[in-house]
Amino acid sequence: ALLSAAFSPDSKLIATASEDKTAKLWSSVTGECWQTLRGHRDVVNGAAFSPDGAWVVTCSSDRLGRVWSSKTGRCAATLEGHDKAVFSAGFATDGATVITNSQDGKAKVWNPRTGVLLRTVHDSCVSLYPTSFSPDGGNFVIAPGDHTAQICDMDSGKCLRQLKGHAAVVVFACYAPPGCPMIRSGGRSGFARQRSTSPPRDTTAAAGRTVCSLDVAKGLSEMPPAAVVAE
């Protein structure tokens, strides 16, 4: 079974992660498999491209992350240091670092070229779901497995803000594309929320407020997109 799929930045390739212990790179146009990434000894839980599309990072229940060339399929670095399964991995906005999240309760930041561990992130900012980085690379947002999303500092790993409001476990949280100062999150309640990351003109409301909430099943907005609800 496939466990994840992600487009390359130019949308020409798709990276998939599978229970068969491999990741694969596919042409999004023809559906042809271009590369099979072999080397993990257990289920591959996720795969993500670097911002320039030249590299792919994978994470596995074998407790490892690996960085691969998307052109040749060669493994360039092995990220070794977690004590349990690694459930998510992703490149920072500038491509200079990779962050991995593990069932061992730790998140780790790595040099993707050398595989050298740079630091272990504060335990409160650990996620079993993919990590998303802010456009400036200073923060990242995670879904830590409770009813919140958390904005964390890239350097210290400390939680800067909890985004509350979901009625069930949050299973994804991500920054919107550059130029759109929003964070999007979704939970098992069936609702997705879009929140502002910039201070509002109304100084009585705070950044992180919900801008709109969407019922995924019905496709209905819980409030007008322009509405602002302070939390």
Side-chain angles (χ1 to χ4, degrees):
L2 294 182
L3 298 180
S4 77
F7 277 97
S8 62
D10 62 7
S11 299
K12 292 181 179 179
L13 293 177
I14 298 172
T16 58
S18 173
E19 289 183 336
D20 68 4
K21 306 179 185 179
T22 71
K24 292 180 182 288
L25 305 183
W26 309 80
S27 166
S28 62
V29 177
T30 66
E32 177 187 0
C33 179
W34 283 17
Q35 300 285 352
T36 298
L37 310 180
R38 293 186 174 91
H40 284 293
R41 302 185 300 274
D42 206 333
V43 171
V44 180
N45 295 308
F49 284 95
S50 61
D52 63 3
W55 306 94
V56 176
V57 61
T58 57
C59 56
S60 170
S61 293
D62 66 5
R63 303 181 292 178
L64 300 177
R66 291 183 181 271
V67 179
W68 314 76
S69 166
S70 62
K71 183 176 182 179
T72 66
R74 178 181 64 88
C75 181
T78 299
L79 314 179
E80 185 173 1
H82 284 292
D83 297 322
K84 293 185 178 181
V86 184
F87 283 116
S88 71
F91 281 88
T93 310
D94 62 3
T97 54
V98 162
I99 188 167
T100 55
N101 286 282
S102 169
Q103 193 180 21
D104 65 11
K106 295 183 175 70
K108 294 180 181 291
V109 180
W110 313 81
N111 181 320
R113 303 293 185 264
T114 64
V116 171
L117 176 65
L118 301 178
R119 58 188 175 276
T120 297
V121 173
H122 193 273
D123 288 359
S124 67
C125 282
V126 173
S127 173
L128 300 185
Y129 305 101
T131 301
S132 175
F133 296 89
S134 61
D136 65 5
N139 299 327
F140 60 95
V141 63
I142 61 169
D146 56 19
H147 292 195
T148 71
Q150 294 182 8
I151 301 174
C152 302
D153 179 75
M154 184 63 191
D155 291 327
S156 68
K158 292 183 178 180
C159 178
L160 302 176
R161 184 182 300 124
Q162 279 191 326
L163 305 179
K164 301 178 181 180
H166 285 283
V169 171
V170 177
V171 296
F172 82 88
C174 65
Y175 279 91
C180 181
M182 297 286 175
I183 288 176
R184 295 156 182 169
S185 59
R188 290 178 179 168
S189 63
F191 275 86
R193 288 178 177 267
Q194 180 162 278
R195 306 167 190 264
S196 171
T197 59
S198 60
R201 294 180 181 178
D202 175 5
T203 57
T204 63
R209 67 204 186 283
T210 298
V211 175
C212 66
S213 181
L214 176 70
D215 185 327
V216 177
K218 297 180 181 178
L220 299 175
S221 180
E222 193 176 64
M223 60 194 75
V228 170
V229 176
E231 296 184 340

